[in-house]
Amino acid sequence: MPWKERTKMEERVRFINMILEGIKSNTDICKEFDISTKTGYKWINRFKQEGYAGIEDHSRRPLTHPARLEENVVCDIIAIKIAHPSFGPKKVLKLYTRIHGGKVPSLSSINRILKRAGLVTKRKRRISSNTGRLTSKIEVKEPNDLWTIDFKGWWISKDQHRIEPLTVRDAFSRYVLASEALSGTDTNSVKQALISIFSDYGLPKVIQSDNGSPFAAKSNVQGISRLSAWLISLGILIHRSRPGHPQDNGGHERMHRDLKESVQVRFRGNAKQYQAELDMWREEFNEIRPHEALDMKTPSEIYHKSNRKYTKSTKEIEYPIEYMTRKVAHSGYIKLNSYTLFISTALEGYWVGLKVLDSQHYAVYFASVFLGKINVNTLSFKPLSLREADD
C-alpha cells in the first residue's frame, strides 16, 4: 500500500527516525510501514544526500533547473565534508576545486547542500575585545619570525596513559611544526621534543608561550625557567602571553579547538594510536586544510624552514668586551669581590654579563635579557620585577 496521503511527510520522518535508531532491521521497518524495500531505500538514499529536505515530494520542485548540480557532484561535496568534519563551506569548496578542477559549484550551492544534509553546525561567535592585544607587539613578516608553543590539556588514553599533547606552531604560515603526545610536562620531555623540532626546522627568532611550567617560573627573576634559559642561550627571544589572557595567543587556541574536535572527541585509543592520530591530524592541518587568512592556501604552501641552524648549545654566552662575566653556580649564586650574590637557580652553569652603570651599580644581563641591578655599596642584587619587565 502507498503512504497515507494525509500524513505522508510525517510518516516519512518517522520512518527515517526509526532507521537512524537502528533497533530493527531496514526490512522489518519497511514491513511495519507497509512499503516495499525498494521504496524504503529510495527515501533512505535521499535522506543521506539531502537530509530531511530530501524526503519531500520532488514533484513540488521544477523538473529541471539550469543551476541544479549533478548527483555525483553533490555526493563528492558531502564525501569531502564527512571526511573533514571541521571544514566549513569555503574549505570544502577549496578542496573540491583542488581535487576536481574545471567548472566548480558556487559557495552558496555548497552551503545549501551541506545545510540540507544536516552537516552544518552553527558556532557561537566570540565577542572580540581590544584588551586581548599583546602588551608589546611582535612583527611577524615571514615564517619563523614567531613560533607559539603550548600544551593542549591532558586526557587519559584507552590503556590508562596520560596524554599531554605538546603543539608548536609557526605564527606566520599557521604551519604546525609538532603535535607530540607526551606523557608529562616536565622540562626534559619538552626540551627533547624541541631539540627534534629544531633539528628538522631550524631556530625561530621568537617563541611565545603562556606563564605556566615549564615555559616560565614566576618565582624566578624575569620568570626565567630552566627551559626558557636554554632557549635564550640558543639566541631565541622569549615572549609570554599575559596571565589569564589566552586570547593573546588566539591563533594557537583556535588550532587547539580543531585538534580537540578532530582527535580528543572523535577518537579513542591507546597512547601509541593517539600519536598516530595526532600525526594524521597534523598532516591534514598542514597539507590539506585551506586557511582564509592565507588566501585559502595551506600552511605547507607558505612555510619554509629557518636558515638559523640548530647546534648543540653552550653555556658560555658571548658578551660585549666591556662587560665582566660571572658563572652562575649550582646554588644560583655568583661571586663578586669575594662576596656571593644570589641570581637564579634556573641559570645554573650559565655565564651572566655585568655592565658598569655608575660607580655604585652594575646591570646584570643574561644574553640580551636584563635581569636587574647590583648595588656595590650594599653588595645586593635587586631583580627586575615582572611588572617592570612588562613596562
Side-chain angles (χ1 to χ4, degrees):
M1 292 177 64
W3 298 95
K4 293 180 181 180
E5 188 66 21
R6 183 172 57 85
T7 60
K8 61 183 180 181
M9 188 56 191
E10 295 175 1
E11 290 291 278
R12 290 171 189 167
V13 170
R14 279 206 320 121
F15 172 76
I16 291 298
N17 288 342
M18 289 185 68
I19 293 291
L20 293 175
E21 289 174 356
I23 299 175
K24 299 180 180 180
S25 69
N26 292 358
T27 302
D28 289 340
I29 295 173
C30 288
K31 287 180 180 179
E32 184 174 334
F33 281 81
D34 198 19
I35 60 173
S36 67
T37 54
K38 181 179 179 180
T39 300
Y41 279 107
K42 179 184 74 172
W43 296 118
I44 292 171
N45 290 332
R46 285 192 183 182
F47 175 80
K48 286 181 179 179
Q49 293 179 8
E50 300 181 49
Y52 288 106
I55 61 177
E56 295 178 357
D57 285 334
H58 283 194
S59 59
R60 297 178 183 177
R61 304 175 182 176
L63 294 177
T64 60
H65 192 284
R68 188 173 182 178
L69 298 177
E70 296 180 3
E71 183 176 350
N72 65 312
V73 175
V74 175
C75 291
D76 288 341
I77 290 169
I78 292 177
I80 291 172
K81 176 63 178 177
I82 292 174
H84 307 282
S86 63
F87 282 20
K90 290 182 180 179
K91 291 180 173 61
V92 170
L93 173 58
K94 181 65 178 180
L95 192 53
Y96 181 92
T97 304
R98 192 186 301 162
I99 295 171
H100 297 282
K103 187 177 180 180
V104 297
S106 65
L107 179 61
S108 59
S109 295
I110 290 181
N111 193 37
R112 183 174 62 253
I113 291 168
L114 297 181
K115 282 184 177 179
R116 286 181 175 177
L119 296 174
V120 175
T121 303
K122 290 185 177 180
R123 292 184 177 181
K124 293 182 179 180
R125 291 188 174 270
R126 297 191 175 189
I127 300 174
S128 61
S129 171
N130 287 335
T131 59
R133 297 188 181 276
L134 294 174
T135 53
S136 56
K137 187 175 177 61
I138 300 173
E139 289 192 3
V140 181
K141 296 182 178 180
E142 60 181 0
N144 307 304
D145 278 351
L146 172 66
W147 290 2
T148 56
I149 185 171
D150 199 3
F151 279 99
K152 163 63 189 70
W154 63 271
W155 64 76
I156 300 296
S157 67
K158 195 173 182 179
D159 54 348
Q160 299 303 304
H161 283 84
R162 187 182 178 100
I163 306 296
E164 293 272 10
L166 174 73
T167 55
V168 183
R169 168 183 173 271
D170 177 65
F172 182 83
S173 65
R174 279 70 173 173
Y175 189 87
V176 179
L177 298 128
S179 52
E180 298 296 320
L182 303 184
S183 59
T185 62
D186 58 285
T187 297
N188 188 59
S189 295
V190 177
K191 183 176 179 179
Q192 293 306 312
L194 285 173
I195 288 174
S196 178
I197 298 168
F198 294 157
S199 299
D200 289 340
Y201 297 101
L203 302 177
K205 294 179 181 177
V206 184
I207 286 183
Q208 179 177 333
S209 71
D210 62 18
N211 293 271
S213 177
F215 309 116
K218 295 179 181 179
S219 59
N220 290 348
V221 57
Q222 280 277 45
I224 296 176
S225 64
R226 292 183 183 275
L227 181 68
S228 57
W230 172 68
L231 293 173
I232 292 169
S233 75
L234 295 175
I236 300 172
L237 298 177
I238 302 299
H239 187 85
R240 301 191 188 97
S241 304
R242 293 170 297 165
H245 289 76
Q247 62 269 42
D248 284 355
N249 201 3
H252 208 107
E253 293 293 325
R254 287 189 293 273
M255 181 263 289
H256 271 179
R257 289 202 298 271
D258 184 84
L259 185 154
K260 179 179 179 180
E261 292 175 7
S262 301
V263 179
Q264 184 178 356
V265 173
R266 300 178 186 275
F267 182 76
R268 179 71 173 162
N270 59 37
K272 187 176 181 180
Q273 290 169 332
Y274 264 120
Q275 184 58 67
E277 197 70 16
L278 285 169
D279 291 341
M280 288 189 290
W281 168 82
R282 177 172 167 261
E283 182 179 358
E284 177 185 290
F285 193 94
N286 289 337
E287 309 287 341
I288 299 174
R289 179 190 179 106
H291 290 248
E292 290 185 53
L294 303 177
D295 196 24
M296 299 310 288
K297 294 180 179 179
T298 62
S300 61
E301 293 178 278
I302 304 297
Y303 182 75
H304 61 75
K305 294 182 179 181
S306 172
N307 57 13
R308 300 178 65 203
K309 302 301 180 183
Y310 169 73
T311 55
K312 191 174 181 180
S313 62
T314 173
K315 294 192 173 184
E316 293 189 18
I317 298 171
E318 291 187 3
Y319 292 94
I321 193 170
E322 66 271 18
Y323 282 40
M324 291 192 301
T325 57
R326 293 293 185 273
K327 188 176 183 179
V328 181
H330 175 73
S331 53
Y333 287 82
I334 64 170
K335 286 188 176 181
L336 181 65
N337 299 337
S338 71
Y339 288 90
T340 57
L341 299 170
F342 180 77
I343 304 296
S344 172
T345 54
L347 301 181
E348 172 197 340
Y350 289 103
W351 292 78
V352 294
L354 277 57
K355 178 184 178 181
V356 176
L357 294 178
D358 53 45
S359 59
Q360 298 181 4
H361 297 93
Y362 289 106
V364 183
Y365 285 88
F366 173 54
S368 61
V369 180
F370 175 51
L371 300 180
K373 297 178 182 179
I374 291 175
N375 187 311
V376 178
N377 291 334
T378 60
L379 287 172
S380 60
F381 171 66
K382 181 182 179 182
L384 185 71
S385 69
L386 291 180
R387 180 177 296 179
E388 289 174 321
D390 288 340
D391 295 339

